[in-house]
Each structure stands twice: as structure tokens, then as C-alpha cells.
mmCIF file of all heavy atoms in Angstrom:
data_model
loop_
_atom_site.group_PDB
_atom_site.id
_atom_site.type_symbol
_atom_site.label_atom_id
_atom_site.label_comp_id
_atom_site.label_asym_id
_atom_site.label_seq_id
_atom_site.Cartn_x
_atom_site.Cartn_y
_atom_site.Cartn_z
ATOM 1 N N LYS K 1 0.836 -1.198 0.034
ATOM 2 C CA LYS K 1 -0.020 0.015 -0.046
ATOM 3 C C LYS K 1 0.870 1.259 0.027
ATOM 4 O O LYS K 1 2.021 1.215 0.529
ATOM 5 C CB LYS K 1 -0.896 0.021 1.233
ATOM 6 C CG LYS K 1 -1.985 -1.030 1.297
ATOM 7 C CD LYS K 1 -2.872 -0.849 2.458
ATOM 8 C CE LYS K 1 -4.002 -1.886 2.426
ATOM 9 N NZ LYS K 1 -4.845 -1.716 3.650
ATOM 10 N N ILE K 2 0.347 2.320 -0.552
ATOM 11 C CA ILE K 2 1.110 3.571 -0.627
ATOM 12 C C ILE K 2 0.433 4.516 0.332
ATOM 13 O O ILE K 2 -0.813 4.616 0.464
ATOM 14 C CB ILE K 2 1.202 4.139 -2.043
ATOM 15 C CG1 ILE K 2 2.107 5.362 -2.156
ATOM 16 C CG2 ILE K 2 -0.209 4.457 -2.587
ATOM 17 C CD1 ILE K 2 2.460 5.785 -3.554
ATOM 18 N N HIS K 3 1.263 5.335 1.102
ATOM 19 C CA HIS K 3 0.787 6.285 2.108
ATOM 20 C C HIS K 3 1.525 7.541 2.032
ATOM 21 O O HIS K 3 2.609 7.607 1.430
ATOM 22 C CB HIS K 3 0.940 5.693 3.508
ATOM 23 C CG HIS K 3 0.488 4.282 3.681
ATOM 24 N ND1 HIS K 3 -0.789 3.929 3.943
ATOM 25 C CD2 HIS K 3 1.197 3.084 3.656
ATOM 26 C CE1 HIS K 3 -0.917 2.624 4.097
ATOM 27 N NE2 HIS K 3 0.294 2.087 3.956
ATOM 28 N N ASP K 4 0.971 8.526 2.785
ATOM 29 C CA ASP K 4 1.755 9.794 2.987
ATOM 30 C C ASP K 4 2.649 9.544 4.177
ATOM 31 O O ASP K 4 2.640 8.441 4.739
ATOM 32 C CB ASP K 4 0.839 10.960 3.112
ATOM 33 C CG ASP K 4 -0.075 10.955 4.346
ATOM 34 O OD1 ASP K 4 0.075 10.015 5.131
ATOM 35 O OD2 ASP K 4 -0.815 11.900 4.493
ATOM 36 N N GLU K 5 3.336 10.520 4.660
ATOM 37 C CA GLU K 5 4.300 10.368 5.755
ATOM 38 C C GLU K 5 3.552 10.044 7.053
ATOM 39 O O GLU K 5 4.200 9.601 8.009
ATOM 40 C CB GLU K 5 5.204 11.508 5.895
ATOM 41 C CG GLU K 5 4.600 12.928 6.138
ATOM 42 C CD GLU K 5 4.192 13.631 4.870
ATOM 43 O OE1 GLU K 5 3.172 13.337 4.249
ATOM 44 O OE2 GLU K 5 4.988 14.566 4.475
ATOM 45 N N GLN K 6 2.221 10.340 7.156
ATOM 46 C CA GLN K 6 1.485 10.101 8.360
ATOM 47 C C GLN K 6 0.643 8.825 8.221
ATOM 48 O O GLN K 6 -0.334 8.665 8.987
ATOM 49 C CB GLN K 6 0.599 11.287 8.734
ATOM 50 C CG GLN K 6 1.362 12.535 9.050
ATOM 51 C CD GLN K 6 2.113 12.378 10.379
ATOM 52 O OE1 GLN K 6 1.593 11.966 11.351
ATOM 53 N NE2 GLN K 6 3.427 12.648 10.310
ATOM 54 N N LEU K 7 1.016 7.995 7.232
ATOM 55 C CA LEU K 7 0.252 6.735 6.880
ATOM 56 C C LEU K 7 -1.191 7.021 6.496
ATOM 57 O O LEU K 7 -2.096 6.186 6.571
ATOM 58 C CB LEU K 7 0.323 5.716 8.031
ATOM 59 C CG LEU K 7 1.671 5.279 8.434
ATOM 60 C CD1 LEU K 7 1.637 4.360 9.661
ATOM 61 C CD2 LEU K 7 2.481 4.596 7.285
ATOM 62 N N GLY K 8 -1.486 8.181 5.905
ATOM 63 C CA GLY K 8 -2.787 8.511 5.445
ATOM 64 C C GLY K 8 -2.858 8.283 3.978
ATOM 65 O O GLY K 8 -1.934 8.008 3.233
ATOM 66 N N ARG K 9 -4.103 8.453 3.503
ATOM 67 C CA ARG K 9 -4.388 8.306 2.081
ATOM 68 C C ARG K 9 -3.954 9.454 1.279
ATOM 69 O O ARG K 9 -3.978 10.646 1.705
ATOM 70 C CB ARG K 9 -5.914 8.104 1.938
ATOM 71 C CG ARG K 9 -6.337 7.670 0.619
ATOM 72 C CD ARG K 9 -7.809 7.236 0.654
ATOM 73 N NE ARG K 9 -8.401 7.579 -0.637
ATOM 74 C CZ ARG K 9 -9.729 7.720 -0.766
ATOM 75 N NH1 ARG K 9 -10.614 7.501 0.334
ATOM 76 N NH2 ARG K 9 -10.301 7.985 -1.880
ATOM 77 N N LEU K 10 -3.410 9.219 0.093
ATOM 78 C CA LEU K 10 -2.947 10.237 -0.785
ATOM 79 C C LEU K 10 -3.942 10.736 -1.680
ATOM 80 O O LEU K 10 -4.837 10.019 -2.121
ATOM 81 C CB LEU K 10 -1.728 9.683 -1.593
ATOM 82 C CG LEU K 10 -0.479 9.331 -0.763
ATOM 83 C CD1 LEU K 10 0.404 8.383 -1.510
ATOM 84 C CD2 LEU K 10 0.264 10.589 -0.376
ATOM 85 N N GLY K 11 -3.836 12.032 -2.155
ATOM 86 C CA GLY K 11 -4.754 12.631 -3.014
ATOM 87 C C GLY K 11 -4.306 12.504 -4.517
ATOM 88 O O GLY K 11 -3.212 12.168 -4.778
ATOM 89 N N PHE K 12 -5.283 12.787 -5.405
ATOM 90 C CA PHE K 12 -4.997 12.668 -6.826
ATOM 91 C C PHE K 12 -3.840 13.455 -7.299
ATOM 92 O O PHE K 12 -2.904 13.052 -8.025
ATOM 93 C CB PHE K 12 -6.265 13.133 -7.511
ATOM 94 C CG PHE K 12 -6.212 12.982 -9.090
ATOM 95 C CD1 PHE K 12 -6.349 11.799 -9.678
ATOM 96 C CD2 PHE K 12 -5.868 14.060 -9.832
ATOM 97 C CE1 PHE K 12 -6.312 11.676 -11.063
ATOM 98 C CE2 PHE K 12 -5.795 13.999 -11.210
ATOM 99 C CZ PHE K 12 -6.014 12.798 -11.802
ATOM 100 N N TRP K 13 -3.726 14.766 -6.830
ATOM 101 C CA TRP K 13 -2.778 15.697 -7.434
ATOM 102 C C TRP K 13 -1.399 15.371 -6.805
ATOM 103 O O TRP K 13 -0.327 15.503 -7.454
ATOM 104 C CB TRP K 13 -3.103 17.145 -7.094
ATOM 105 C CG TRP K 13 -4.286 17.513 -7.913
ATOM 106 C CD1 TRP K 13 -5.637 17.815 -7.460
ATOM 107 C CD2 TRP K 13 -4.381 17.622 -9.343
ATOM 108 N NE1 TRP K 13 -6.412 17.978 -8.519
ATOM 109 C CE2 TRP K 13 -5.697 17.901 -9.660
ATOM 110 C CE3 TRP K 13 -3.464 17.397 -10.321
ATOM 111 C CZ2 TRP K 13 -6.057 18.111 -11.011
ATOM 112 C CZ3 TRP K 13 -3.855 17.622 -11.706
ATOM 113 C CH2 TRP K 13 -5.200 17.912 -11.945
ATOM 114 N N ARG K 14 -1.291 14.851 -5.598
ATOM 115 C CA ARG K 14 0.051 14.514 -5.025
ATOM 116 C C ARG K 14 0.507 13.331 -5.708
ATOM 117 O O ARG K 14 1.691 13.220 -5.980
ATOM 118 C CB ARG K 14 -0.145 14.221 -3.545
ATOM 119 C CG ARG K 14 1.184 14.077 -2.839
ATOM 120 C CD ARG K 14 0.906 14.019 -1.307
ATOM 121 N NE ARG K 14 2.068 13.875 -0.550
ATOM 122 C CZ ARG K 14 2.148 13.901 0.674
ATOM 123 N NH1 ARG K 14 1.005 14.254 1.387
ATOM 124 N NH2 ARG K 14 3.291 13.857 1.346
ATOM 125 N N LEU K 15 -0.308 12.359 -5.969
ATOM 126 C CA LEU K 15 0.084 11.167 -6.777
ATOM 127 C C LEU K 15 0.427 11.532 -8.238
ATOM 128 O O LEU K 15 1.283 10.856 -8.847
ATOM 129 C CB LEU K 15 -0.976 10.057 -6.728
ATOM 130 C CG LEU K 15 -0.992 9.359 -5.328
ATOM 131 C CD1 LEU K 15 -2.287 8.589 -5.154
ATOM 132 C CD2 LEU K 15 0.287 8.501 -5.105
ATOM 133 N N THR K 16 -0.236 12.500 -8.796
ATOM 134 C CA THR K 16 0.144 13.006 -10.098
ATOM 135 C C THR K 16 1.563 13.497 -10.152
ATOM 136 O O THR K 16 2.353 13.178 -11.007
ATOM 137 C CB THR K 16 -0.930 14.066 -10.614
ATOM 138 O OG1 THR K 16 -2.139 13.479 -10.711
ATOM 139 C CG2 THR K 16 -0.447 14.670 -11.977
ATOM 140 N N GLY K 17 1.864 14.306 -9.147
ATOM 141 C CA GLY K 17 3.232 14.830 -9.029
ATOM 142 C C GLY K 17 4.267 13.653 -8.901
ATOM 143 O O GLY K 17 5.293 13.670 -9.472
ATOM 144 N N ARG K 18 3.891 12.645 -8.074
ATOM 145 C CA ARG K 18 4.751 11.469 -7.867
ATOM 146 C C ARG K 18 4.907 10.726 -9.198
ATOM 147 O O ARG K 18 5.997 10.289 -9.512
ATOM 148 C CB ARG K 18 4.178 10.509 -6.826
ATOM 149 C CG ARG K 18 5.014 9.389 -6.578
ATOM 150 C CD ARG K 18 4.338 8.424 -5.549
ATOM 151 N NE ARG K 18 5.185 7.204 -5.424
ATOM 152 C CZ ARG K 18 5.234 6.166 -6.229
ATOM 153 N NH1 ARG K 18 4.410 6.172 -7.257
ATOM 154 N NH2 ARG K 18 5.971 5.207 -6.001
ATOM 155 N N TYR K 19 3.850 10.633 -9.997
ATOM 156 C CA TYR K 19 3.866 9.939 -11.228
ATOM 157 C C TYR K 19 4.911 10.558 -12.127
ATOM 158 O O TYR K 19 5.692 9.933 -12.786
ATOM 159 C CB TYR K 19 2.487 9.914 -11.848
ATOM 160 C CG TYR K 19 2.433 9.200 -13.178
ATOM 161 C CD1 TYR K 19 2.394 7.864 -13.282
ATOM 162 C CD2 TYR K 19 2.472 9.974 -14.455
ATOM 163 C CE1 TYR K 19 2.443 7.222 -14.504
ATOM 164 C CE2 TYR K 19 2.437 9.358 -15.607
ATOM 165 C CZ TYR K 19 2.373 7.960 -15.709
ATOM 166 O OH TYR K 19 2.390 7.296 -16.932
ATOM 167 N N PHE K 20 4.852 11.920 -12.235
ATOM 168 C CA PHE K 20 5.812 12.670 -13.112
ATOM 169 C C PHE K 20 7.171 12.631 -12.553
ATOM 170 O O PHE K 20 8.094 12.641 -13.291
ATOM 171 C CB PHE K 20 5.266 14.003 -13.375
ATOM 172 C CG PHE K 20 4.183 14.138 -14.353
ATOM 173 C CD1 PHE K 20 2.869 14.255 -13.843
ATOM 174 C CD2 PHE K 20 4.393 13.937 -15.685
ATOM 175 C CE1 PHE K 20 1.846 14.313 -14.843
ATOM 176 C CE2 PHE K 20 3.268 14.028 -16.578
ATOM 177 C CZ PHE K 20 2.049 14.167 -16.143
ATOM 178 N N ALA K 21 7.340 12.511 -11.240
ATOM 179 C CA ALA K 21 8.639 12.415 -10.661
ATOM 180 C C ALA K 21 9.292 11.086 -10.968
ATOM 181 O O ALA K 21 10.559 10.919 -10.967
ATOM 182 C CB ALA K 21 8.556 12.651 -9.067
ATOM 183 N N THR K 22 8.542 10.032 -11.248
ATOM 184 C CA THR K 22 9.053 8.756 -11.713
ATOM 185 C C THR K 22 9.861 8.913 -12.987
ATOM 186 O O THR K 22 10.820 8.152 -13.192
ATOM 187 C CB THR K 22 8.066 7.686 -11.792
ATOM 188 O OG1 THR K 22 7.060 8.069 -12.702
ATOM 189 C CG2 THR K 22 7.393 7.338 -10.483
ATOM 190 N N TRP K 23 9.526 9.881 -13.787
ATOM 191 C CA TRP K 23 10.268 10.108 -15.017
ATOM 192 C C TRP K 23 11.627 10.577 -14.659
ATOM 193 O O TRP K 23 12.609 10.241 -15.351
ATOM 194 C CB TRP K 23 9.541 11.157 -15.847
ATOM 195 C CG TRP K 23 8.230 10.739 -16.469
ATOM 196 C CD1 TRP K 23 7.019 10.974 -16.050
ATOM 197 C CD2 TRP K 23 8.156 9.872 -17.659
ATOM 198 N NE1 TRP K 23 6.097 10.315 -16.864
ATOM 199 C CE2 TRP K 23 6.781 9.673 -17.846
ATOM 200 C CE3 TRP K 23 9.010 9.267 -18.463
ATOM 201 C CZ2 TRP K 23 6.312 8.878 -18.882
ATOM 202 C CZ3 TRP K 23 8.600 8.518 -19.516
ATOM 203 C CH2 TRP K 23 7.253 8.335 -19.726
ATOM 204 N N LEU K 24 11.826 11.344 -13.626
ATOM 205 C CA LEU K 24 13.084 11.833 -13.206
ATOM 206 C C LEU K 24 13.907 10.631 -12.642
ATOM 207 O O LEU K 24 15.074 10.576 -12.999
ATOM 208 C CB LEU K 24 12.953 12.904 -12.088
ATOM 209 C CG LEU K 24 14.352 13.451 -11.530
ATOM 210 C CD1 LEU K 24 15.017 14.145 -12.660
ATOM 211 C CD2 LEU K 24 14.085 14.413 -10.354
ATOM 212 N N SER K 25 13.331 9.754 -11.976
ATOM 213 C CA SER K 25 13.986 8.524 -11.450
ATOM 214 C C SER K 25 14.462 7.682 -12.666
ATOM 215 O O SER K 25 15.508 6.990 -12.584
ATOM 216 C CB SER K 25 13.107 7.740 -10.556
ATOM 217 O OG SER K 25 12.880 8.385 -9.332
ATOM 218 N N THR K 26 13.727 7.819 -13.787
ATOM 219 C CA THR K 26 14.015 7.010 -15.003
ATOM 220 C C THR K 26 15.179 7.538 -15.745
ATOM 221 O O THR K 26 16.049 6.850 -16.130
ATOM 222 C CB THR K 26 12.709 6.799 -15.759
ATOM 223 O OG1 THR K 26 11.762 6.179 -15.069
ATOM 224 C CG2 THR K 26 13.094 5.974 -16.966
ATOM 225 N N ILE K 27 15.078 8.865 -16.007
ATOM 226 C CA ILE K 27 16.075 9.481 -16.912
ATOM 227 C C ILE K 27 17.425 9.618 -16.337
ATOM 228 O O ILE K 27 18.424 9.836 -17.078
ATOM 229 C CB ILE K 27 15.525 10.884 -17.522
ATOM 230 C CG1 ILE K 27 15.378 11.890 -16.402
ATOM 231 C CG2 ILE K 27 14.309 10.701 -18.287
ATOM 232 C CD1 ILE K 27 15.057 13.304 -16.815
ATOM 233 N N ILE K 28 17.580 9.401 -15.036
ATOM 234 C CA ILE K 28 18.903 9.467 -14.465
ATOM 235 C C ILE K 28 19.424 8.040 -14.282
ATOM 236 O O ILE K 28 19.976 7.618 -13.261
ATOM 237 C CB ILE K 28 19.018 10.253 -13.137
ATOM 238 C CG1 ILE K 28 18.029 9.754 -12.114
ATOM 239 C CG2 ILE K 28 18.802 11.730 -13.398
ATOM 240 C CD1 ILE K 28 18.237 10.323 -10.774
ATOM 241 N N LEU K 29 19.188 7.193 -15.321
ATOM 242 C CA LEU K 29 19.635 5.779 -15.382
ATOM 243 C C LEU K 29 19.147 4.874 -14.302
ATOM 244 O O LEU K 29 19.827 4.096 -13.693
ATOM 245 C CB LEU K 29 21.134 5.722 -15.352
ATOM 246 C CG LEU K 29 21.924 6.561 -16.523
ATOM 247 C CD1 LEU K 29 23.370 6.624 -16.318
ATOM 248 C CD2 LEU K 29 21.533 6.098 -17.920
ATOM 249 N N PHE K 30 17.852 5.147 -13.961
ATOM 250 C CA PHE K 30 17.130 4.310 -12.954
ATOM 251 C C PHE K 30 17.688 4.427 -11.565
ATOM 252 O O PHE K 30 17.277 3.671 -10.679
ATOM 253 C CB PHE K 30 16.951 2.861 -13.402
ATOM 254 C CG PHE K 30 16.248 2.713 -14.685
ATOM 255 C CD1 PHE K 30 16.930 2.611 -15.912
ATOM 256 C CD2 PHE K 30 14.851 2.725 -14.643
ATOM 257 C CE1 PHE K 30 16.251 2.464 -17.086
ATOM 258 C CE2 PHE K 30 14.193 2.562 -15.882
ATOM 259 C CZ PHE K 30 14.936 2.401 -17.145
ATOM 260 N N ILE K 31 18.568 5.407 -11.276
ATOM 261 C CA ILE K 31 19.121 5.491 -9.965
ATOM 262 C C ILE K 31 18.064 5.825 -8.914
ATOM 263 O O ILE K 31 18.166 5.297 -7.791
ATOM 264 C CB ILE K 31 20.252 6.588 -9.995
ATOM 265 C CG1 ILE K 31 21.441 6.095 -10.822
ATOM 266 C CG2 ILE K 31 20.718 6.938 -8.602
ATOM 267 C CD1 ILE K 31 22.484 7.173 -11.073
ATOM 268 N N GLY K 32 17.087 6.591 -9.301
ATOM 269 C CA GLY K 32 16.019 6.944 -8.443
ATOM 270 C C GLY K 32 15.266 5.646 -7.916
ATOM 271 O O GLY K 32 14.733 5.626 -6.837
ATOM 272 N N PHE K 33 15.172 4.578 -8.773
ATOM 273 C CA PHE K 33 14.531 3.411 -8.381
ATOM 274 C C PHE K 33 15.444 2.533 -7.494
ATOM 275 O O PHE K 33 15.053 1.858 -6.565
ATOM 276 C CB PHE K 33 14.064 2.613 -9.552
ATOM 277 C CG PHE K 33 12.980 3.240 -10.349
ATOM 278 C CD1 PHE K 33 13.248 3.815 -11.582
ATOM 279 C CD2 PHE K 33 11.738 3.311 -9.882
ATOM 280 C CE1 PHE K 33 12.242 4.460 -12.347
ATOM 281 C CE2 PHE K 33 10.652 3.947 -10.512
ATOM 282 C CZ PHE K 33 10.955 4.469 -11.738
ATOM 283 N N PHE K 34 16.761 2.495 -7.870
ATOM 284 C CA PHE K 34 17.746 1.698 -7.066
ATOM 285 C C PHE K 34 17.884 2.321 -5.638
ATOM 286 O O PHE K 34 18.367 1.543 -4.799
ATOM 287 C CB PHE K 34 19.050 1.698 -7.774
ATOM 288 C CG PHE K 34 18.963 0.846 -9.039
ATOM 289 C CD1 PHE K 34 19.392 1.390 -10.272
ATOM 290 C CD2 PHE K 34 18.481 -0.493 -9.066
ATOM 291 C CE1 PHE K 34 19.264 0.637 -11.433
ATOM 292 C CE2 PHE K 34 18.386 -1.196 -10.245
ATOM 293 C CZ PHE K 34 18.778 -0.601 -11.439
ATOM 294 N N MET K 35 17.559 3.461 -5.393
ATOM 295 C CA MET K 35 17.659 4.070 -4.130
ATOM 296 C C MET K 35 16.730 3.368 -3.079
ATOM 297 O O MET K 35 17.018 3.360 -1.924
ATOM 298 C CB MET K 35 17.208 5.565 -4.150
ATOM 299 C CG MET K 35 18.170 6.490 -4.740
ATOM 300 S SD MET K 35 17.602 8.156 -4.964
ATOM 301 C CE MET K 35 17.083 8.607 -3.290
ATOM 302 N N ILE K 36 15.665 2.689 -3.676
ATOM 303 C CA ILE K 36 14.709 1.994 -2.862
ATOM 304 C C ILE K 36 15.489 0.934 -2.029
ATOM 305 O O ILE K 36 15.143 0.717 -0.839
ATOM 306 C CB ILE K 36 13.570 1.436 -3.598
ATOM 307 C CG1 ILE K 36 12.735 2.487 -4.315
ATOM 308 C CG2 ILE K 36 12.647 0.519 -2.814
ATOM 309 C CD1 ILE K 36 11.817 1.983 -5.360
ATOM 310 N N GLY K 37 16.443 0.254 -2.654
ATOM 311 C CA GLY K 37 17.168 -0.831 -1.955
ATOM 312 C C GLY K 37 18.047 -0.356 -0.840
ATOM 313 O O GLY K 37 18.357 -1.132 0.089
#
């Protein structure tokens, strides 16, 4: 499950910003995703 920092439900616009931020994680050679580990 995905949450905000207070373990609450996320809104549409915040998740839209997160969705576009995944592009940044992608274009820097997936380093943004490898940070998860």
C-alpha cells in the first residue's frame, strides 16, 4: 500500500506529481529506483 508520511491516504494531485517524478528517477539511469534498496 502507498501512504503519505503520516500513513494517510494520498490525493489525486500529489500522486500525479509523484507519477511525473518517476520520469526523473528513470532518466537518471534508474538511480531513483535503485535508491529503494
Side-chain angles (χ1 to χ4, degrees):
K1 290 184 179 181
I2 188 168
H3 311 278
D4 66 4
E5 61 270 78
Q6 296 293 310
L7 300 177
R9 189 170 146 197
L10 294 160
F12 181 85
W13 293 112
R14 187 170 184 173
L15 285 166
T16 295
R18 182 186 176 278
Y19 178 81
F20 285 102
T22 58
W23 291 101
L24 180 62
S25 292
T26 303
I27 63 174
I28 57 170
L29 304 174
F30 298 97
I31 292 171
F33 293 108
F34 293 124
M35 287 174 55
I36 296 167

